[in-house]
Amino acid sequence: MPLKADLDAIDWKILRELQADGRMTNVELSNRVGISAPPCLRRVKRLEEAGIIRGYRALLNAPALGLDVVAFCLVGLHHQADAELRTFAERTRGWPIVRDAWMVSGESDFLLHCVASDLGAFQTFVIEELTSTPNVDTVRTALTIRRVKDEGLVSFERP
């Protein structure tokens, strides 16, 4: 698959380091990737402006905040015309329990990653919100047992 951005080995090192720790200072980052601080900062700004670095955020411990249930919902719609797909996608943005959502191919149309305080809250969402949403045909749920891998969202097979 062709690379969509013109990145050199230093850019890839910057991306690896920032994905592992987005809070490090520019000086620390420059030391880790082997260049001085001013060009390192220019590179980071270029990666941000190009949309390769989309933002920075804190990773929260959901169970420590009382959010103990993680589940996935596979949602099938009655109709898959573009307008219906966009309408459902927009609706997911209004559901706080849905942390990530993907439009998928295959037997389902959407995959929703849900985080809830308890099983009752998740069930209430599924029964009262999700299944009653216009155009929703099927909902299959999967409760997680435990997370077995928690890596950054982008894997690095490049330099």
Side-chain angles (χ1 to χ4, degrees):
M1 179 170 110
L3 187 60
K4 295 182 179 180
D6 185 24
L7 304 176
D8 65 14
I10 298 294
D11 292 327
W12 284 104
K13 287 179 184 177
I14 289 171
L15 293 173
R16 275 189 206 95
E17 293 296 334
L18 285 177
Q19 186 167 258
D21 180 5
R23 290 190 58 171
M24 78 176 74
T25 66
N26 182 59
V27 172
E28 175 65 21
L29 178 62
S30 67
N31 288 335
R32 289 187 188 189
V33 301
I35 61 174
S36 64
C40 184
L41 184 58
R42 284 193 297 273
R43 284 174 177 260
V44 170
K45 294 290 184 198
R46 182 177 53 83
L47 293 167
E48 290 170 346
E49 290 167 3
I52 293 168
I53 297 175
R54 296 185 308 134
Y56 303 88
R57 63 173 66 166
L59 301 174
L60 305 181
N61 180 339
L65 296 169
L67 300 168
D68 293 320
V69 174
V70 177
F72 291 89
C73 297
L74 287 162
V75 180
L77 303 180
H78 287 290
H79 307 285
Q80 292 81 21
D82 190 50
E84 282 87 358
L85 294 168
R86 278 187 275 124
T87 297
F88 184 83
E90 183 61 35
R91 188 174 291 261
T92 67
R93 292 180 185 94
W95 291 326
I97 199 169
V98 176
R99 305 312 309 151
D100 291 296
W102 294 267
M103 187 183 301
V104 296
S105 64
E107 294 180 21
S108 298
D109 299 304
F110 287 88
L111 174 66
L112 310 180
H113 170 216
C114 302
V115 179
S117 56
D118 55 45
L119 187 56
F122 175 68
Q123 289 172 331
T124 298
F125 165 72
V126 170
I127 294 166
E128 295 180 11
E129 293 280 338
L130 188 54
T131 59
S132 65
T133 298
N135 197 31
V136 168
D137 181 32
T138 60
V139 175
R140 291 184 299 142
T141 63
L143 294 172
T144 63
I145 297 169
R146 76 172 72 92
R147 175 176 263 163
V148 296
K149 185 174 181 179
D150 185 13
E151 297 293 325
L153 296 177
V154 177
S155 66
F156 292 99
E157 298 173 9
R158 300 279 176 186

